[in-house]
Structures are given as C-alpha cells and as structure tokens.
Amino acid sequence: MNNPNQKMVRIMLFTAFTIGSLLVSALSYAQLNRTVEVSPAGTEYLLFKPNDYDPANDYPLLIYLHGAQAMGNNISCSYGKGLPGAINNSQNDFFDTLQMIIVAPHVKFGSSCNDFDNDFQWDVNSINEVVNDVINNNSIASDRIFGSGISLGAKGIWDYALDNPSLFAGIVPISGNAPKEDICDLESVAVWAIHGESDGAVPPDRGDGDRFGSATLVEELNNCDPDIPAYLTLLEAKGHNGWDQTYDLSSGYNIYEWMFKVRKNKVNNIAPLIELGPDITLLNPSTIVVKSFTYDPNGVISNYNWTQVSGPSVSFTSNQANLKLDPFNGANGTYQFKLEVTDNEGLTNDDLITINVTNSSSNPVVTALHLYDGENGVDLGPISNN
C-alpha cells in the first residue's frame, strides 16, 4: 500500500509469546435436542427442545429466522449459522440447561447452500404456519413467546411481530430494519434491538426506502409509551455482524436471561441485568478498564457499587458504570471485583469478575490492541470490550 493518498488504518496487535506447540482439545457437551420437522404445508424447520423436556410443563418459545446466507437446498445449510450454529458449536453446557423450545424455519431455495435471492423477504404466513404447528404439538407458555433473527431474518421478525403483535412477549431483532408507520402496534411487546454501530449494509440510524434501522425504530416505539421501554444495544466496532457473539453469549448480552424475565401483558418489577464478561489475564498492564453491561428492562439503573472482593489492595472509584484502574499501580496477583446495581424500583443484581495480573507467560498473550491511523501517524487509542 504505497499510494500516499490512500488512507490506511491498521489494527496493531502487541504480543508476548514463546515458540512451542499448541494443542487444542474439543470438549463435547450435550446440547438441546435437535430434530428436523415438517409442517403440514411442507415447510421444514429445526426444533430444539430441552433434553429433559416434560410435556406436563409449559416452556418459553423462541422463534428464530435465519439470514440470507442460510438459505439453500437443504436444511443443513442452517446448522452452522446464527442461533443454530451457537447451539451446535457451543463449548460449554449453557444450551444443555436452557429450559426453552426454539423453532427455526428454513427457506429452501436454489441448488446449494448460500444460493440466495437478494430480493427475498420472509413470508409472515409461512412463518405463522410453522409456529402454529409447533404450538399445537408442544407444551408452550402462551405468555412467553419470543422472536429473534439476523439480517434478513431480523427484518422478518419485525414484520412478523407487526403482523401478529398479540402473539409476542418480546423480540430481539439483530441487524434488521422495518417500516415505522405502525410501530406503535408493538407497544405491548418488549423489544431489545441489537445492531452493529458501523453497519453499512443495514444502517442502524438511517432508512432504506420505507424501512428504517434499529435506532430509529426504538426511538419511534418509545414515543408510543410502550408497556416496557424498547432498548437498543449498538455493538462497538461491529458492521453487519455480531449475532454469533450475541447468541453464544460471548458479547456479554444475555438475551435469554431477559426473555425469562419478561411475560406477555405482565409488567411486574424486573430486576436489572448485569454482565461483566469473562475473567481476564493481563500482562504488565499500565491501566485496567472493565466495562459493564447493565440494563433494567422496565426502568433505569439508579446506583452502581463496585467493591473489591479479594487480591492486593488498589484504589478505584466505586459509584460508576465501569471499573477504571488508571494508572494501575497494583502488584502481580489475582484480583476479584463485584459490581452491584440497583434500579429505580430498589431491585438489585450483581456480577463478579476475576483479573489475573502477571509479568510472564508461556503462551501467546495479547497485551494491547490499538487502532492506528497509518496515513497521519496517529494512535487512535486502545480497542477494548470485545
């Protein structure tokens, strides 16, 4: 890249490592029981049910609509992508214990996987036909039906919810858009919209014809005074992606916990959600910043309280959303911190994070990640929080 007029932005990765062999072992975990079903009209769909499914119990139902790249001649085209991919590829036991039924209709199209039509739109009637088949043949809690989808599927979930607002307790569209004229029809539906902040394919804050991105839709819906305020999460440094990290929980946004708190037509006090992310190991850090995700589905967070649970003593400010040790003058060792949040109704929730600080490592360790403007020779700053 020798053209001086071409702007260059580099991601610089600083590592400390030793040369050696790396052995990766794949752990096998039981997952939700997956079957391929066929609706009365002949539409194939994936059905995920708890391994200990008991027809005497009523379960929440999550309707998932795939994106365009999962379209294809065989339902296996859906296995490795989006929510089905998160379930099939999970390396922990989360989906083994999830007490939820998930249905994922498949669009059979073309002669191979990824053989899609850019003009295709999900048909709400075909979705409804599959959903009715699932409801008629399984034990579903009628006040706990949710929808989610990615890209084309997120558009489909918006459209399906607008066409059937009385069906849903809540929806989680990821990187989608929808018309806004009838958005107030969703005032009794809890909405948590997730979108890449740098999405150029489906911009979160702009329209495409008569359809508008998540930021516009959430703002418009909140002007309708919904039963539960609509919520928008913009994924940092993400374009038209981020759904895999949402569904497998690595992004720190637990949409499943949110679903278990929400009921159709029941606006009870809901405790706030909180997530500090995975434990971390840092090599000779000069600063430590832990960003929290906190969200109160039916109110606001009124108080933050950080406490140090264990480890060498360090100073920090307690009453703020993020933990900042800047500069970090602590010793090597293991630190554990807890954040407790309180909402405007007095309900609380908390989470813990462990930070291991070391000055040596036998394996490759990322010590800093910076965005660097190569044209102007400017360090734009560190990249953090996924």
Side-chain angles (χ1 to χ4, degrees), residues 43-48 59-67 82-84 87 98 100-106 122-135 140-142 144-150 152-162 164-174 189 247 255-256 258-259:
T43 302
E44 284 188 310
Y45 61 89
L46 297 176
L47 187 66
F48 297 89
Y59 294 84
L61 174 65
L62 174 56
I63 303 160
Y64 168 78
L65 302 184
H66 64 65
L83 180 53
I87 297 171
L98 186 65
M100 176 181 287
I101 294 175
I102 299 171
V103 57
H106 176 70
W122 277 94
D123 175 53
V124 296
N125 293 322
S126 65
I127 301 169
N128 207 44
E129 189 257 336
V130 169
V131 170
N132 286 336
D133 190 44
V134 174
I135 292 175
I140 304 298
S142 60
R144 303 170 71 189
I145 297 177
F146 299 88
S148 186
I150 63 174
L152 176 69
K155 297 178 182 180
I157 279 295
W158 278 114
D159 292 344
Y160 185 47
L162 285 165
N164 299 272
S166 62
L167 176 69
F168 286 98
I171 60 172
V172 184
I174 306 177
V189 178
Y247 289 129
I255 60 174
Y256 313 101
W258 177 80
M259 293 176 193

Side-chain angles (χ1 to χ4, degrees), residues 61-118:
L61 174 65
L62 174 56
I63 303 160
Y64 168 78
L65 302 184
H66 64 65
Q69 291 187 340
M71 294 170 62
N73 65 328
N74 193 287
I75 197 168
S76 62
C77 299
S78 293
Y79 287 0
K81 298 179 175 66
L83 180 53
I87 297 171
N88 295 329
N89 301 326
S90 177
Q91 292 297 299
N92 56 51
D93 61 357
F94 175 79
F95 288 108
D96 183 40
T97 59
L98 186 65
Q99 295 298 298
M100 176 181 287
I101 294 175
I102 299 171
V103 57
H106 176 70
V107 177
K108 190 173 184 178
F109 184 87
S111 59
S112 63
C113 293
N114 299 331
D115 193 0
F116 57 87
D117 179 357
N118 285 324

Side-chain angles (χ1 to χ4, degrees), residues 196-216:
E197 66 176 357
S198 301
D199 191 339
V202 183
D205 56 353
R206 296 199 302 276
D208 178 13
D210 63 344
R211 305 183 71 94
F212 297 84
S214 299
T216 301

Side-chain angles (χ1 to χ4, degrees), residues 187-188 226-229 261 263-270 297-298 345:
E187 61 186 1
S188 65
D227 295 342
I228 294 179
K261 291 178 180 288
R263 298 288 189 277
K264 180 70 176 176
N265 297 325
K266 294 181 181 178
V267 189
N268 299 326
N269 292 348
I270 302 175
N298 66 326
E345 296 157 338

Side-chain angles (χ1 to χ4, degrees), residues 28-48:
S28 177
Y29 294 91
Q31 304 296 344
L32 290 165
N33 181 36
R34 183 191 73 195
T35 59
V36 176
E37 308 290 339
V38 182
S39 71
T43 302
E44 284 188 310
Y45 61 89
L46 297 176
L47 187 66
F48 297 89

